[in-house]
Amino acid sequence: MYTTIDTTFHEGILEILPDPVLWVTPVYSVIGNIDDFEVQFSNKKADDALAHFKGSLMGLRIKRDGIPSVDLCTTNFQHLLKVFETGEGEEFTLYLKKTGSSLEALAKKYKEGVLSIIRDPIWQREAEKKEEKANQVLESIVQNSYNGILMYESMRDESNKIVDFKIKYHNQQCNELSGYSDKERQELTFRQILQGIGAESFFDRYIEVVETGKRTQREQYVERSGKWILSSIVKLYDGFLAMLTDITEHKILQELLQQQSAITKGILDASLNGIYSLIAVRDKSGVIVDFNYLFANKVIAEFLDSNPEQLAGKSMLTLIPENKENGFFNLFCEVLQNGAPFRDQVYFVTARSNKWFEYSIVKMNEESLVVTLQDISEQKYATLKIEEQKAMLDNILKFSSSGISVSEVIRNKEGKVIDARTVLANDAAIINSGIPKELYLTKTATEIDPQILTSSYYKGVLNTLETGEPFNTRYFLQPTSKWLEVSVSRMDHDHIITIFTDVTEVRKNELQLEKLVEELKRSNANLEEFTYAASHDLKEPIRKIGTFTNQLKSSLQPKLSEREAYLFDRIENSTIRMTQLVDDLLEYSHVTINPSATERIDLNDKIRKVLDDLELVIREKSAIVIVGKLPVIVGNRRQIQQLFQNLISNGLKYSKSDVPPEITITSEVVPASKVEECAHQSLLYNYYHKIVIKDNGIGFEQQYADKIFQVFQRLHGKAEYQGTGVGLAIVKKVVQNNNGFITVQSEPGAGATFIVYFPQEEALL
Ligand code: ADP
């Protein structure tokens, strides 16, 4: 159905309009629906704009003929239909997919149709072309960018409040970084996307960007893409532009660095050494006025009563002001200026401890230093001790009057000692040895004395080296006229220590003493010989006196007065006594000068024999003799018999007149220490037989205990108790001849106890 319209009036106006204008009227279907619109009028601009229709558009239909293009005609139709049906004008846009540009259209109901005015795409095209080019460049940049770029537009409610954002644009990279596809971007709002990546809490920050225009930035790990993303967000129109950067590598690196620095810190903290770094603090003119701690490990922090975190950034001179005066501050400046590392030791005296430290200062860069401190107190004290000991040893060596030298043996391939070399010798050793210093310390033993390998001294040294047993020797050194005592000890497998002592004086004294002893022995022997000779020779004249006195008495007998007969008796008695004395003296000197042969003697047998000899007296005096078990000793049979004979007969002789004598003889073994108490000297034997002869006789004052053992010494009168005073002297001599000792204990009226010690022969040291 066509409607005829007078177009003449409008034609002129429409023709001169700069924009393309179409007037279309509806085309109804059979059932009365609007199927299409037909162009009833088109101006020249419109015909030009849609030049592909080649000529006037009039009579062409929107849908059927595809105005303005096949793909846009339906949309166009819809808009036109809406305007026609509602009567309300509408502005709408038709996007031209091919060119990417758009057509802005204004449609208004006009008479029985719709007037559609289109902004002329031709005049727009030039500008659009330019923009298109620029846009293409930009697009290409954006599409090829490594960064994800997205633009969101605000979605507002009635009160103009932003409630969400809608995607306006995003590039491909964006999808890869966020893990969201194009479709998802289109379908989901920004809030939903944030929810999807677990970052909803950041939503308000985006609103803030749009509202305040302040840009923001944030980092996030996006699980969907497995990437770390840095988003920089700026306001753009009524929305925001976000630039997404992949910082995964950077993040991994950062994490690695953090781990490394944690490890480094751990190592530094675990270090027993103190480590810290300082950065110079300069004044305006560039002069260093202080240092700040950049880093300090635990050791240092503890030393300064702090912790590593607190120390960082602190001023050194505030914490340790004394570093200014003690030179450390200047030292740090110096190392920083000339770059040469510095190392030294220092003794720190603090309230808590006194310690030695070894420290090093190393320049790290133009402004900072690294200082390490090591507590070396233990090593230092040990070194000082060693030095002290060395000094002491040096002094001992230097001032010792004894020569001390250390020799190192030289071995052949088989390990046999073939020579030796002195490696250390003090002055005294060199003086004492008589070997010139230049030889002593440079030549080997065989070079100094080629004969040494065959000497007994060398053999002694070898034995000491092998067994570790020291050996001593003495020798007279001709060149120095000195007697030396040399003692050789083993220091270790290859070293021996030799100590030379000048014993010239000792040796002189010894020789003197030996000479004196020799003289004494000789004079004693002379004396003993004299005693023997005298007593022996005296016997003959005494015998003669006795004989002649007897003869004289017999011939004078009848004429002798009583007085004269008495005098003859006195002469006779004196002669008898003199004979006794001379006999006893002879006996004594016999014991003294005759070093008789010794044998093993069973004292049990010996005592029995003595008691047999004394049987008469024992019976006369009704004496009791009790003998215990006695040992076997080594001695001279005759002398031992004399010893016991004298002791037992004295026990019987010096008995109380009214009490029958009782003598007990007992024996036991005692250690040398017990004997030393009474012998007052150190002894040659470990054990002794202690034989005790105890009587119940008259006894004597203890003060005479020594006296009674001297020749001719008697305590009791001869009228009462006969005797010569030689018996105990013989006893003592016999005991001495047997390397024994004798003592006596007594008191008047309480008997006497004689104790004899004989060495236990097998216990010889
Ligand atoms: P003597 O021939 O006089 O007995 P000894 O040398 O045997 O000479 O003794 C010296 C002196 O020691 C004796 O004279 C006596 O005074 C005293 N004496 C010796 N043995 C005993 C004893 N068992 N009891 C008391 N006195 C003793």
Side-chain angles (χ1 to χ4, degrees), residues 18-20 49 102-106 117-124:
D19 296 320
S102 57
L103 285 174
E104 298 283 334
L106 173 68
I117 305 164
I118 302 159
R119 282 188 65 202
D120 182 2
I122 297 171
W123 64 260
Q124 228 183 359

Side-chain angles (χ1 to χ4, degrees), residues 650 653-654 695 700 708 713-716 723-728:
N650 276 353
K653 181 161 56 170
Y654 298 106
D695 64 50
F700 55 87
I708 56 171
Q713 293 300 328
R714 307 199 69 230
L715 302 180
H716 302 95
T724 56
V726 180
L728 286 182

Side-chain angles (χ1 to χ4, degrees), residues 528 587-598 633-636 638-640 642-643 685 729-742 757-759 761:
E528 278 156 8
E587 195 72 52
Y588 176 73
S589 54
H590 202 78
V591 170
T592 313
I593 60 170
N594 273 346
S596 322
T598 57
I633 61 159
V634 176
N636 177 266
R638 204 174 107 79
Q639 288 183 7
I640 297 295
Q642 272 176 313
L643 180 147
Y685 300 85
I730 290 174
V731 166
K732 183 151 187 166
K733 200 73 208 173
V734 171
V735 171
Q736 280 174 348
N737 285 353
N738 284 279
N739 296 314
F741 301 94
I742 185 162
Y757 295 98
F758 283 119
E761 283 296 323

